Amino acid sequence: MKMTPRLIIIGGLAVVLTVVAFVVFLPTVVFKPTPTMTTHQYTPLEQEGRDLYVSNGCMYCHSQFTRPGDVTPSRVSEAGQYAFDQPHQLGTLRTGPDLANIGMKRGEQWEINHFIDPRKYSPNSIMPSFRFLSERQMRALAAYLDTLGNKQTASTDLMVPVRFLGTKFERNKFELTEENFARGRDIYAKRCLTCHGCAGKGDGPYAMINNARPANLRDSKYKNLPVNYFFWRISDGVPGTVMPEWKQSMTDDEMWLVMLFEEKAFMNMTPAFTDEGDMPEQFANKKLAAPTLENLEKGKAIFVANCAFCHGYSGAGDGPDAAGLLPGPPNFDDDALYVPWADGDWIWRVSESLPMRAMPQWKTWLDEEQVSLVAGYVKNVLSLPKDGAEPADPEIPADIDKNLKMPADTDLMRGRQVYLQRCWMCHGDAGQSDGPSGGKLQPVPATFIEPALKKFSDGEWFYKVSYGIGNAAMPQWHLLLSPEDRWATVKYIKHAFVNPSEPTVVSDDVPPAYVALDPAPYSPTPETMEQGKQLYATLCTGCHGAKAMGDGDLGVVLLPTPANLTEEPGSTTGIDFWYWRLDQGVVGDNGKHPTAMPAWINILTDQQKWAVVFYTRGLAGAVGGPDGSEPTSPTAGSGN
């Protein structure tokens, strides 16, 4: 048949009409689903809102259809949810979030405020303002949105589906044995660690880019949930998050085994110390990577990104995820244990881990070269550094040094918080390498009172904080901290130590939250006083001195100098003042001028803080005695 223009036009029209018939008219005729329990005929106000949704082109950016496997706020859409929609507003693009299950997720006033100023609630949104709508129209649009979906917040749903009930799901299929623990640990490392982290706290390397933060499996709320809850969540995933339906790629046995590992490693930790055994023959002749500056930097990057969360930045076993782990991470500063180790011992333990430990077999994540690099870094920098090891400053590109300037809006108080959580343990609260983990390191951490540091440019500070110091334990903080946090930390270091200054005004008025503070359930028992004595000696003597008179060696160069706690206001104020000062530190000028006195809330537990308060009040002879209720004993503090 000859293709003429007339035939092409007729054929094209036929194709278009056929598509329209199948896509538009046929669904209108045959789509008659039964409404779900939550679907109803629109009220006049809701219908008005639906018309506004259509006329304002909301469907161009928002879809209303949740498919299996979608990362959306709730469950998969059901046909019955669209029983009263003709035509359906399923949408074709997702420039904005999917709205299939938005009903009852946000309040009416929130929706209206969001229509008026979208970026106030979603800073990166490109949604235009709909402030041109009348108040009634915005309420109508909000009413329509409230009809969408199943009206259930699935991520907090604790009701286990019926199919996961029964004797099969009452207890784990597998008993706790070394073999089963190892199998579960291996599955966890391959499937779960990337989000939940090697310590189970929901801080894996992929966690920070998720819409919903992965579960912290060490949270106490998980300890008492039934076994079938965990099997359900692993099997079916968690709607609204990237937690997948593992039933699609894992067998029941694999799910039971990973549950066994998670329970015993993170929730109900019952350490079963087993014999480590002898080094396997395959590792006997393994050699660590040569301790060149380049190799040590590569190994440090792997350690900071994967291991420091438990082992700590200095290898002292005091990482942010370490507290509460049983058994706890080791302190690498143990010559008696580590000096006899051969290269193969280091590689073996990094690669294969140890029996009945939460630590992954890192061979799951790292290749042989990387295992050797990180093991070599731990040995040569954290555990057995060479005497007199010298730091190696990074080479700063001239253009970066010249162009990097501290942003005007850098948050000084945020820098104080980051410093106390990330830097204090090595550099110390006086900035003089006086942290509890700094003394054993070689090279020793930087002392920030050195006159030469006053000449550092902003670019030099920022670059060294970002890329660390070679041949030393100083991390490459760009792997863990945002640029904003790094700048803030630099600002605090310069403010508190490099160029310190005294605040104009420091208020001694105890904030309402601390007034008449009750130390219960803690009290100045002999055990508590001894704990306070040890903590004071370790953390406070350097600045406040052995007798709390503000004459410690480290405090001489600080501004303001450390307080003499035997004088006012410390000697005459109540226990609430003391706890407040210890908890929040000293900040003057209406909260804008932090001093070197740290906010120990970032470092110590409540029990430790009360122990320090009780002991130091007695040491300083404060009115009211250690607990503020009895006169001070003439011998208080004599044990120091």
Side-chain angles (χ1 to χ4, degrees):
M1 179 183 295
K2 185 177 180 181
M3 299 295 291
T4 64
R6 179 181 179 185
L7 187 60
I8 293 173
I9 292 172
I10 293 173
L13 287 174
V15 171
V16 170
L17 291 175
T18 301
V19 171
V20 171
F22 275 94
V23 174
V24 179
F25 296 110
L26 187 60
T28 302
V29 174
V30 303
F31 185 72
K32 304 293 181 182
T34 302
T36 67
M37 291 277 296
T38 59
T39 306
H40 58 78
Q41 191 67 259
Y42 293 123
T43 66
L45 185 66
E46 292 165 353
Q47 183 62 52
E48 180 182 350
R50 186 181 187 279
D51 294 341
L52 286 165
Y53 184 93
V54 174
S55 63
N56 282 279
C58 300
M59 69 173 292
Y60 301 151
C61 292
H62 296 284
S63 60
Q64 288 186 20
F65 182 65
T66 303
R67 298 157 295 191
D70 278 0
V71 180
T72 52
S74 197
R75 300 187 187 281
V76 174
S77 297
E78 302 176 55
Q81 293 172 214
Y82 309 96
F84 302 107
D85 283 285
Q86 295 292 344
H88 310 130
Q89 300 298 313
L90 303 184
T92 55
L93 295 176
R94 291 195 185 184
T95 304
D98 179 76
L99 302 178
N101 291 290
I102 203 63
M104 296 293 288
K105 302 299 188 295
R106 308 185 296 209
E108 179 186 56
Q109 193 57 51
W110 189 99
E111 292 286 10
I112 291 173
N113 293 339
H114 182 251
F115 296 152
I116 295 172
D117 187 1
R119 269 151 298 288
K120 181 178 180 180
Y121 295 86
S122 302
N124 295 322
S125 173
I126 61 171
M127 175 175 163
S129 170
F130 286 85
R131 64 177 67 249
F132 59 85
L133 297 176
S134 67
E135 182 177 350
R136 174 184 169 78
Q137 288 176 317
M138 285 191 279
R139 294 201 179 279
L141 188 54
Y144 166 66
L145 293 176
D146 201 39
T147 68
L148 301 179
N150 56 49
K151 298 180 173 61
Q152 183 180 15
T153 306
S155 62
T156 58
D157 184 5
L158 298 179
M159 298 298 293
V160 179
V162 174
R163 69 181 185 278
F164 293 101
L165 302 179
T167 56
K168 175 183 176 182
F169 299 101
E170 288 180 354
R171 62 188 302 271
N172 200 305
K173 176 180 178 179
F174 293 94
E175 299 294 332
L176 177 60
T177 65
E178 185 177 315
E179 180 184 1
N180 288 338
F181 186 92
R183 292 169 65 191
R185 178 174 63 183
D186 185 56
I187 297 167
Y188 179 89
K190 294 175 179 177
R191 309 289 187 114
C192 316
L193 189 154
T194 186
C195 288
H196 293 285
C198 55
K201 294 196 73 173
D203 55 2
Y206 195 71
M208 296 305 293
I209 60 174
N210 289 340
N211 293 330
R213 190 67 181 265
N216 175 1
L217 300 175
R218 300 207 355 232
D219 193 308
S220 58
K221 68 183 179 183
Y222 292 114
K223 289 186 177 181
N224 297 318
L225 290 174
V227 171
N228 57 4
Y229 172 85
F230 294 102
F231 194 92
W232 162 47
R233 279 307 194 203
I234 293 174
S235 173
D236 288 10
V238 181
T241 75
V242 294
M243 173 74 176
E245 297 180 3
W246 285 114
K247 64 185 178 185
Q248 296 182 11
S249 59
M250 289 172 63
T251 65
D252 283 4
D253 281 1
E254 288 176 320
M255 289 188 278
W256 283 120
L257 286 166
V258 79
M259 282 174 58
L260 179 72
F261 168 74
E262 290 175 348
E263 179 192 2
K264 299 304 180 183
F266 306 134
M267 300 172 198
N268 297 305
M269 289 174 272
T270 52
F273 293 95
T274 58
D275 186 359
E276 295 180 10
D278 297 324
M279 179 174 61
E281 185 177 349
Q282 69 189 85
F283 293 96
N285 297 317
K286 296 283 187 181
K287 296 296 181 183
L288 291 170
T292 63
L293 181 60
E294 180 182 5
N295 284 342
L296 291 177
E297 284 299 286
K298 290 180 179 179
K300 178 165 64 174
I302 298 169
F303 181 87
V304 170
N306 298 287
C307 313
F309 292 96
C310 291
H311 291 286
Y313 310 114
S314 67
D318 58 354
D321 291 353
L325 273 180
L326 294 175
N331 183 345
F332 293 131
D333 184 26
D334 185 347
D335 289 352
L337 175 62
Y338 295 114
V339 166
W341 278 22
D343 284 5
D345 286 299
W346 294 95
I347 295 173
W348 165 41
R349 282 161 169 90
V350 173
S351 176
E352 308 298 315
S353 186
L354 297 172
M356 307 297 283
R357 301 297 197 274
M359 176 179 163
Q361 293 180 305
W362 283 111
K363 66 181 181 182
T364 304
W365 273 54
L366 308 175
D367 61 29
E368 289 189 12
E369 180 184 8
Q370 291 173 316
V371 168
S372 179
L373 287 167
V374 71
Y377 168 74
V378 173
K379 174 188 175 182
N380 293 298
V381 175
L382 303 182
S383 184
L384 303 171
K386 293 181 179 179
D387 291 337
E390 292 292 332
D393 286 341
E395 185 174 340
I396 306 173
D399 54 340
I400 291 180
D401 188 21
K402 178 181 178 181
N403 295 320
L404 273 176
K405 302 295 181 183
M406 184 176 295
D409 59 350
T410 297
D411 188 341
L412 177 60
M413 292 302 292
R414 173 62 178 170
R416 179 188 190 227
Q417 180 184 1
V418 175
Y419 181 88
L420 292 175
Q421 292 179 330
R422 301 287 192 170
C423 316
W424 161 83
M425 63 285 296
C426 290
H427 293 285
D429 53 282
Q432 297 173 50
S433 306
D434 54 308
S437 300
K440 73 180 186 64
L441 294 174
Q442 294 188 46
V444 298
T447 296
F448 296 132
I449 64 170
E450 295 291 339
L453 272 61
K454 296 179 183 292
K455 300 179 181 179
F456 277 17
S457 65
D458 287 352
E460 190 169 359
W461 275 107
F462 188 77
Y463 201 85
K464 288 183 177 181
V465 169
S466 297
Y467 288 93
I469 304 298
N471 203 36
M474 171 73 176
Q476 304 99 327
W477 284 115
H478 73 89
L479 298 172
L480 297 176
L481 298 178
S482 67
E484 292 78 12
D485 280 353
R486 279 176 271 149
W487 276 122
T489 306
V490 168
K491 187 171 185 177
Y492 175 74
I493 292 171
K494 295 176 71 173
H495 169 90
F497 310 124
V498 181
N499 296 300
S501 62
E502 295 202 44
T504 304
V505 178
V506 176
S507 173
D508 292 329
D509 296 333
V510 181
Y514 291 86
V515 172
L517 199 63
D518 184 358
Y522 310 110
S523 60
T525 62
E527 294 78 14
T528 299
M529 295 296 279
E530 180 61 28
Q531 181 186 27
K533 176 183 176 181
Q534 294 177 6
L535 287 168
Y536 182 89
T538 302
L539 304 177
C540 312
T541 302
C543 290
H544 291 286
K547 298 296 181 181
M549 298 179 69
D551 57 353
D553 295 338
L554 300 177
V556 177
V557 298
L558 299 176
L559 286 177
T561 54
N564 182 344
L565 302 176
T566 67
E567 298 178 346
E568 293 186 358
S571 61
T572 58
T573 49
I575 200 167
D576 49 3
F577 173 89
W578 281 74
Y579 188 88
W580 164 53
R581 277 289 192 238
L582 186 73
D583 200 48
Q584 296 297 327
V586 179
V587 182
D589 299 339
N590 295 317
K592 298 180 180 179
H593 193 124
T595 70
M597 171 65 184
W600 290 104
I601 187 176
N602 294 293
I603 299 167
L604 301 179
T605 65
D606 278 350
Q607 180 181 4
Q608 290 173 322
K609 285 181 287 183
W610 280 116
V612 173
V613 169
F614 292 147
Y615 173 76
T616 312
R617 279 179 60 83
L619 179 65
V623 172
D627 62 355
S629 61
E630 298 177 0
T632 304
S633 167
T635 59
S638 60
N640 187 61

